Coordinates of all heavy atoms in Angstrom, one line a residue:
E156 N 8.3 31.2 35.9 CA 8.1 30.4 37.1 C 8.3 28.9 36.8 O 8.2 28.0 37.7 CB 6.7 30.5 37.6 CG 6.4 32.0 38.1 CD 4.9 32.1 38.6 OE1 4.6 31.5 39.6 OE2 4.1 32.8 37.9
F157 N 8.8 28.6 35.6 CA 8.9 27.2 35.2 C 10.4 26.9 34.8 O 11.2 27.8 34.4 CB 8.1 26.8 34.0 CG 6.6 27.0 34.3 CD1 5.9 28.2 34.1 CD2 5.9 25.9 34.7 CE1 4.6 28.3 34.3 CE2 4.5 26.0 35.0 CZ 3.9 27.2 34.8
S158 N 10.7 25.6 34.9 CA 12.1 25.1 34.4 C 12.1 25.1 32.9 O 11.0 25.2 32.2 CB 12.3 23.7 34.9 OG 11.4 22.8 34.3
G159 N 13.3 24.9 32.3 CA 13.4 24.8 30.8 C 12.5 23.7 30.2 O 11.9 23.9 29.2
G160 N 12.6 22.6 30.8 CA 11.8 21.4 30.3 C 10.3 21.7 30.4 O 9.5 21.4 29.5
Q161 N 9.8 22.4 31.5 CA 8.4 22.7 31.6 C 8.0 23.7 30.6 O 6.9 23.7 30.0 CB 8.1 23.2 33.0 CG 8.2 22.1 34.1 CD 8.0 22.7 35.5 OE1 8.6 23.8 35.8 NE2 7.3 22.0 36.4
R162 N 8.9 24.7 30.4 CA 8.6 25.7 29.3 C 8.4 25.1 28.0 O 7.6 25.5 27.2 CB 9.6 26.8 29.3 CG 9.5 27.8 30.5 CD 10.3 29.1 30.3 NE 11.7 28.8 30.4 CZ 12.5 29.0 31.5 NH1 11.9 29.5 32.6 NH2 13.8 28.8 31.5
Q163 N 9.3 24.1 27.7 CA 9.2 23.5 26.4 C 7.8 22.7 26.3 O 7.2 22.6 25.2 CB 10.4 22.5 26.1 CG 10.5 22.1 24.7 CD 10.6 23.2 23.7 OE1 9.6 23.9 23.4 NE2 11.8 23.5 23.2
R164 N 7.4 22.1 27.4 CA 6.1 21.5 27.4 C 4.9 22.5 27.1 O 4.0 22.1 26.5 CB 5.9 20.8 28.7 CG 6.7 19.5 28.9 CD 6.6 19.0 30.3 NE 7.6 17.9 30.6 CZ 7.4 16.6 30.4 NH1 6.2 16.2 30.0 NH2 8.3 15.7 30.6
I165 N 5.1 23.7 27.6 CA 4.1 24.7 27.4 C 4.1 25.0 25.9 O 3.1 25.2 25.2 CB 4.4 26.0 28.2 CG1 4.3 25.7 29.7 CG2 3.5 27.2 27.7 CD1 4.8 26.8 30.6
G166 N 5.3 25.1 25.3 CA 5.4 25.3 23.8 C 4.8 24.2 23.0 O 4.1 24.5 22.0
I167 N 4.9 23.0 23.5 CA 4.3 21.9 22.8 C 2.8 21.9 22.9 O 2.0 21.7 22.0 CB 4.8 20.5 23.4 CG1 6.3 20.4 23.1 CG2 4.0 19.3 22.8 CD1 7.0 19.2 23.8
A168 N 2.3 22.3 24.1 CA 0.8 22.5 24.3 C 0.3 23.5 23.4 O -0.8 23.4 22.8 CB 0.5 22.8 25.8
R169 N 1.0 24.6 23.3 CA 0.6 25.7 22.4 C 0.5 25.2 20.9 O -0.5 25.6 20.2 CB 1.6 26.9 22.4 CG 1.3 28.0 21.5 CD 2.2 29.2 21.7 NE 3.6 28.8 21.4 CZ 4.6 29.6 21.6 NH1 4.4 30.9 22.0 NH2 5.9 29.2 21.3
A170 N 1.4 24.4 20.5 CA 1.4 23.9 19.1 C 0.2 22.9 18.9 O -0.4 22.9 17.9 CB 2.7 23.2 18.8
L171 N -0.1 22.2 20.0 CA -1.2 21.2 19.9 C -2.6 21.8 19.9 O -3.6 21.2 19.5 CB -1.1 20.2 21.0 CG 0.0 19.1 21.0 CD1 0.0 18.3 22.3 CD2 -0.1 18.2 19.8
A172 N -2.6 23.0 20.5 CA -3.9 23.7 20.8 C -4.9 23.8 19.6 O -6.1 23.8 19.7 CB -3.7 25.1 21.4
V173 N -4.3 24.0 18.4 CA -5.1 24.2 17.2 C -5.3 22.9 16.4 O -5.8 22.9 15.2 CB -4.5 25.3 16.2 CG1 -4.5 26.6 16.9 CG2 -3.1 24.9 15.8
E174 N -5.0 21.7 17.0 CA -5.2 20.4 16.4 C -4.5 20.3 15.1 O -5.2 20.0 14.0 CB -6.7 20.1 16.3 CG -7.4 20.2 17.7 CD -8.9 20.3 17.5 OE1 -9.4 20.2 16.4 OE2 -9.6 20.4 18.6
P175 N -3.2 20.5 15.0 CA -2.5 20.4 13.7 C -2.3 19.0 13.2 O -2.5 18.0 14.0 CB -1.1 21.0 14.1 CG -0.9 20.6 15.5 CD -2.3 20.7 16.1
E176 N -2.0 18.9 11.9 CA -1.6 17.6 11.4 C -0.1 17.3 11.3 O 0.4 16.2 11.4 CB -2.2 17.5 9.9 CG -3.7 17.5 9.8 CD -4.1 17.5 8.3 OE1 -3.3 17.1 7.5 OE2 -5.2 17.9 8.1
F177 N 0.6 18.5 11.2 CA 2.1 18.4 10.9 C 2.8 19.4 11.8 O 2.4 20.6 11.9 CB 2.3 18.7 9.5 CG 3.8 18.9 9.1 CD1 4.6 17.8 9.2 CD2 4.3 20.1 8.6 CE1 6.0 17.9 8.8 CE2 5.6 20.2 8.2 CZ 6.5 19.1 8.3
I178 N 3.8 18.9 12.5 CA 4.5 19.8 13.5 C 6.0 19.8 13.1 O 6.6 18.7 12.9 CB 4.3 19.4 14.9 CG1 2.9 19.6 15.4 CG2 5.3 20.1 15.8 CD1 2.6 19.2 16.8
I179 N 6.6 21.0 13.0 CA 8.0 21.1 12.8 C 8.6 21.4 14.2 O 8.3 22.4 14.8 CB 8.4 22.3 11.9 CG1 7.8 22.0 10.5 CG2 9.9 22.5 11.8 CD1 8.0 23.1 9.5
A180 N 9.5 20.5 14.7 CA 10.1 20.6 16.0 C 11.6 21.1 15.7 O 12.4 20.3 15.3 CB 10.1 19.3 16.7
D181 N 11.8 22.3 15.9 CA 13.1 22.9 15.5 C 14.1 22.9 16.7 O 14.0 23.7 17.6 CB 12.9 24.4 15.0 CG 14.2 25.0 14.6 OD1 15.2 24.3 14.4 OD2 14.3 26.2 14.4
E182 N 14.9 21.9 16.8 CA 15.9 21.7 17.9 C 15.2 21.8 19.2 O 15.6 22.6 20.1 CB 17.0 22.7 17.8 CG 17.8 22.5 16.4 CD 19.3 22.3 16.6 OE1 19.7 21.7 17.6 OE2 20.0 22.8 15.8
P183 N 14.1 21.1 19.5 CA 13.3 21.3 20.7 C 13.9 20.9 22.0 O 13.4 21.2 23.0 CB 12.0 20.5 20.4 CG 12.5 19.3 19.5 CD 13.6 20.0 18.7
I184 N 15.1 20.2 21.9 CA 15.7 19.7 23.1 C 17.1 20.3 23.3 O 17.7 20.0 24.3 CB 15.8 18.2 23.1 CG1 16.5 17.6 21.9 CG2 14.4 17.6 23.2 CD1 16.8 16.1 21.9
S185 N 17.6 21.0 22.4 CA 19.0 21.5 22.4 C 19.3 22.4 23.6 O 20.4 22.5 24.1 CB 19.4 22.1 21.1 OG 18.7 23.3 20.9
A186 N 18.3 23.2 24.0 CA 18.4 24.1 25.1 C 18.2 23.5 26.5 O 18.2 24.2 27.5 CB 17.5 25.3 24.9
L187 N 17.9 22.2 26.5 CA 17.5 21.5 27.8 C 18.7 20.6 28.3 O 19.5 20.2 27.6 CB 16.3 20.6 27.5 CG 15.1 21.3 26.9 CD1 14.0 20.2 26.7 CD2 14.6 22.4 27.7
D188 N 18.6 20.4 29.6 CA 19.5 19.5 30.3 C 19.4 18.1 29.7 O 18.3 17.7 29.3 CB 19.3 19.4 31.8 CG 19.7 20.7 32.5 OD1 20.4 21.5 31.9 OD2 19.2 20.9 33.6
V189 N 20.5 17.3 29.6 CA 20.4 16.0 29.1 C 19.4 15.1 29.7 O 18.7 14.3 29.1 CB 21.8 15.3 29.2 CG1 21.8 13.8 28.7 CG2 22.8 16.1 28.3
S190 N 19.2 15.3 31.0 CA 18.3 14.4 31.8 C 16.8 14.7 31.4 O 15.9 13.9 31.6 CB 18.4 14.7 33.3 OG 18.2 16.1 33.6
I191 N 16.6 15.9 30.9 CA 15.2 16.3 30.5 C 15.0 16.0 29.0 O 13.8 15.8 28.6 CB 15.0 17.8 30.7 CG1 15.4 18.2 32.2 CG2 13.6 18.3 30.4 CD1 14.5 17.5 33.2
Q192 N 16.0 15.9 28.2 CA 15.8 15.8 26.8 C 15.0 14.5 26.4 O 14.1 14.5 25.6 CB 17.2 15.7 26.1 CG 17.9 17.0 26.0 CD 19.3 16.9 25.4 OE1 19.7 15.9 24.9 NE2 20.0 18.1 25.3
A193 N 15.4 13.4 27.1 CA 14.7 12.1 26.8 C 13.2 12.2 27.2 O 12.4 11.6 26.5 CB 15.4 11.0 27.5
Q194 N 12.9 12.9 28.2 CA 11.5 13.1 28.6 C 10.7 13.8 27.6 O 9.6 13.4 27.2 CB 11.4 13.9 29.9 CG 12.0 13.2 31.2 CD 11.9 14.0 32.4 OE1 11.2 15.0 32.5 NE2 12.8 13.7 33.4
V195 N 11.3 14.9 27.0 CA 10.6 15.6 26.0 C 10.4 14.8 24.7 O 9.3 14.8 24.1 CB 11.3 17.0 25.7 CG1 10.7 17.7 24.5 CG2 11.3 17.9 26.9
V196 N 11.5 14.1 24.3 CA 11.4 13.2 23.1 C 10.4 12.1 23.3 O 9.6 11.8 22.4 CB 12.8 12.7 22.8 CG1 12.7 11.5 21.7 CG2 13.7 13.8 22.2
N197 N 10.3 11.5 24.5 CA 9.3 10.5 24.7 C 7.9 11.0 24.7 O 7.0 10.4 24.2 CB 9.6 9.8 26.1 CG 10.8 8.9 26.0 OD1 11.1 8.3 25.0 ND2 11.5 8.7 27.1
L198 N 7.7 12.3 25.2 CA 6.4 13.0 25.1 C 6.0 13.1 23.6 O 4.9 12.9 23.3 CB 6.5 14.3 25.8 CG 5.3 15.2 25.6 CD1 4.0 14.6 26.2 CD2 5.5 16.6 26.3
L199 N 6.9 13.6 22.8 CA 6.6 13.8 21.4 C 6.2 12.4 20.7 O 5.3 12.4 19.9 CB 7.8 14.4 20.6 CG 8.2 15.8 21.0 CD1 9.5 16.3 20.3 CD2 7.1 16.8 20.7
K200 N 6.9 11.4 21.1 CA 6.6 10.1 20.5 C 5.2 9.6 20.9 O 4.4 9.1 20.2 CB 7.6 9.0 20.9 CG 9.0 9.2 20.2 CD 10.0 8.2 20.8 CE 9.8 6.8 20.5 NZ 10.3 6.4 19.2
K201 N 4.9 9.9 22.2 CA 3.5 9.5 22.7 C 2.4 10.3 22.0 O 1.4 9.8 21.6 CB 3.5 9.7 24.2 CG 2.1 9.4 24.9 CD 2.1 9.6 26.4 CE 0.8 9.1 27.0 NZ -0.4 9.8 26.5
L202 N 2.7 11.6 21.9 CA 1.7 12.5 21.2 C 1.5 12.1 19.8 O 0.4 12.1 19.2 CB 2.2 14.0 21.3 CG 2.2 14.6 22.6 CD1 2.9 16.0 22.6 CD2 0.8 14.7 23.2
Q203 N 2.6 11.6 19.1 CA 2.4 11.2 17.7 C 1.5 10.0 17.7 O 0.7 9.9 16.8 CB 3.8 10.8 17.2 CG 3.8 10.4 15.7 CD 5.2 10.2 15.1 OE1 6.0 9.7 15.8 NE2 5.4 10.7 13.9
R204 N 1.7 9.0 18.6 CA 0.8 7.8 18.6 C -0.6 8.2 18.9 O -1.5 7.7 18.3 CB 1.4 6.8 19.7 CG 2.6 6.1 19.3 CD 2.9 5.0 20.3 NE 2.9 5.4 21.7 CZ 4.0 5.7 22.3 NH1 5.2 5.7 21.7 NH2 3.9 6.0 23.6
D205 N -0.8 9.1 19.9 CA -2.2 9.4 20.4 C -2.9 10.2 19.4 O -4.2 10.1 19.2 CB -2.1 10.1 21.7 CG -1.6 9.3 22.8 OD1 -1.5 8.0 22.6 OD2 -1.2 9.8 23.9
Y206 N -2.2 11.1 18.6 CA -2.9 12.1 17.8 C -2.7 11.9 16.3 O -3.2 12.6 15.5 CB -2.5 13.5 18.2 CG -3.0 13.9 19.5 CD1 -2.2 13.8 20.6 CD2 -4.3 14.5 19.7 CE1 -2.6 14.2 21.9 CE2 -4.7 14.8 21.0 CZ -3.9 14.7 22.1 OH -4.3 15.0 23.3
G207 N -1.9 10.9 15.9 CA -1.6 10.6 14.5 C -0.8 11.7 13.9 O -1.0 12.0 12.7
L208 N 0.1 12.3 14.6 CA 0.8 13.5 14.1 C 2.0 13.1 13.2 O 2.5 12.0 13.2 CB 1.4 14.3 15.3 CG 0.4 15.0 16.2 CD1 1.1 15.5 17.4 CD2 -0.3 16.1 15.5
T209 N 2.4 14.0 12.3 CA 3.5 13.9 11.4 C 4.5 14.9 11.9 O 4.2 16.1 12.1 CB 3.1 14.1 10.0 OG1 2.1 13.2 9.6 CG2 4.3 13.9 9.1
F210 N 5.8 14.5 12.0 CA 6.8 15.4 12.5 C 8.0 15.6 11.5 O 8.4 14.7 10.9 CB 7.4 14.9 13.8 CG 6.6 15.1 15.1 CD1 6.0 14.1 15.7 CD2 6.6 16.4 15.6 CE1 5.2 14.3 16.8 CE2 5.8 16.6 16.8 CZ 5.2 15.6 17.4
L211 N 8.5 16.9 11.5 CA 9.8 17.1 11.0 C 10.6 17.5 12.2 O 10.4 18.5 12.9 CB 9.8 18.3 10.0 CG 11.2 18.8 9.6 CD1 12.0 17.7 8.9 CD2 11.1 20.0 8.6
F212 N 11.6 16.6 12.6 CA 12.4 16.8 13.8 C 13.8 17.3 13.4 O 14.5 16.5 12.8 CB 12.4 15.5 14.6 CG 13.0 15.6 15.9 CD1 12.2 15.9 17.0 CD2 14.4 15.3 16.1 CE1 12.8 16.0 18.3 CE2 14.9 15.4 17.4 CZ 14.2 15.8 18.5
I213 N 14.1 18.5 13.7 CA 15.4 19.1 13.4 C 16.3 19.1 14.6 O 15.9 19.5 15.7 CB 15.1 20.6 12.9 CG1 14.2 20.6 11.7 CG2 16.5 21.3 12.6 CD1 13.7 22.0 11.3
A214 N 17.5 18.6 14.4 CA 18.5 18.5 15.5 C 19.9 18.3 15.0 O 20.1 18.1 13.8 CB 18.1 17.4 16.4
H215 N 20.9 18.5 15.9 CA 22.2 18.2 15.5 C 22.8 17.0 16.2 O 23.9 16.5 15.9 CB 23.2 19.4 15.8 CG 23.2 19.8 17.2 ND1 22.4 20.8 17.8 CD2 23.9 19.3 18.3 CE1 22.6 20.9 19.1 NE2 23.5 20.0 19.4
D216 N 22.0 16.4 17.1 CA 22.4 15.2 17.8 C 21.8 14.0 17.1 O 20.7 13.6 17.2 CB 21.8 15.3 19.3 CG 22.2 14.1 20.1 OD1 22.7 13.1 19.6 OD2 21.9 14.2 21.3
L217 N 22.7 13.3 16.4 CA 22.3 12.1 15.6 C 21.8 11.0 16.4 O 20.9 10.3 16.0 CB 23.5 11.7 14.7 CG 23.5 12.1 13.3 CD1 24.8 11.8 12.6 CD2 22.4 11.4 12.5
S218 N 22.3 10.8 17.6 CA 21.9 9.7 18.4 C 20.4 9.9 18.8 O 19.6 8.9 18.8 CB 22.8 9.5 19.7 OG 22.8 10.7 20.4
M219 N 20.0 11.1 19.2 CA 18.6 11.4 19.6 C 17.7 11.3 18.3 O 16.6 10.8 18.4 CB 18.5 12.7 20.3 CG 17.2 13.0 20.9 SD 16.8 11.8 22.2 CE 17.8 12.4 23.6
V220 N 18.2 11.8 17.2 CA 17.4 11.7 16.0 C 17.1 10.3 15.6 O 16.0 10.0 15.1 CB 18.2 12.5 14.8 CG1 17.5 12.3 13.5 CG2 18.2 14.0 15.2
K221 N 18.1 9.4 15.7 CA 17.9 8.0 15.4 C 16.8 7.4 16.3 O 15.9 6.6 15.8 CB 19.2 7.2 15.6 CG 19.0 5.7 15.2 CD 20.3 5.0 15.5 CE 20.2 3.5 15.0 NZ 19.2 2.7 15.8
Y222 N 16.7 7.8 17.5 CA 15.8 7.3 18.5 C 14.3 7.6 18.1 O 13.4 6.8 18.2 CB 16.1 7.8 19.9 CG 15.1 7.4 20.9 CD1 14.9 6.1 21.3 CD2 14.3 8.4 21.6 CE1 14.0 5.7 22.3 CE2 13.4 8.0 22.6 CZ 13.3 6.7 22.9 OH 12.3 6.3 23.9
I223 N 14.1 8.8 17.5 CA 12.8 9.3 17.3 C 12.4 9.2 15.8 O 11.2 9.2 15.5 CB 12.6 10.8 17.8 CG1 11.1 11.2 17.8 CG2 13.4 11.8 16.9 CD1 10.8 12.5 18.5
S224 N 13.3 9.1 14.9 CA 13.0 9.3 13.5 C 12.8 8.0 12.7 O 13.5 7.0 13.0 CB 14.1 10.1 12.8 OG 14.3 11.3 13.4
D225 N 11.9 8.0 11.7 CA 11.8 6.9 10.8 C 12.8 7.0 9.7 O 13.3 6.0 9.3 CB 10.3 6.9 10.2 CG 9.3 6.7 11.3 OD1 9.2 5.7 11.9 OD2 8.5 7.7 11.6

Side-chain angles (χ1 to χ4, degrees):
E156 299 179 64
F157 296 90
S158 67
Q161 288 175 320
R162 283 196 289 265
Q163 194 56 286
R164 289 172 188 267
I165 295 166
I167 294 169
R169 176 176 60 185
L171 288 175
V173 294
E174 302 165 4
E176 295 177 19
F177 174 62
I178 293 179
I179 298 173
D181 183 15
E182 302 234 30
I184 57 173
S185 64
L187 306 178
D188 292 340
V189 175
S190 59
I191 306 299
Q192 289 181 359
Q194 294 177 20
V195 173
V196 167
N197 286 332
L198 171 62
L199 293 175
K200 286 172 73 79
K201 181 180 184 300
L202 293 172
Q203 184 174 42
R204 289 193 304 269
D205 293 348
Y206 294 94
L208 296 168
T209 303
F210 280 106
L211 171 59
F212 188 87
I213 299 169
H215 60 265
D216 182 350
L217 259 169
S218 57
M219 191 60 79
V220 170
K221 181 180 186 295
Y222 175 65
I223 195 173
S224 302
D225 300 292

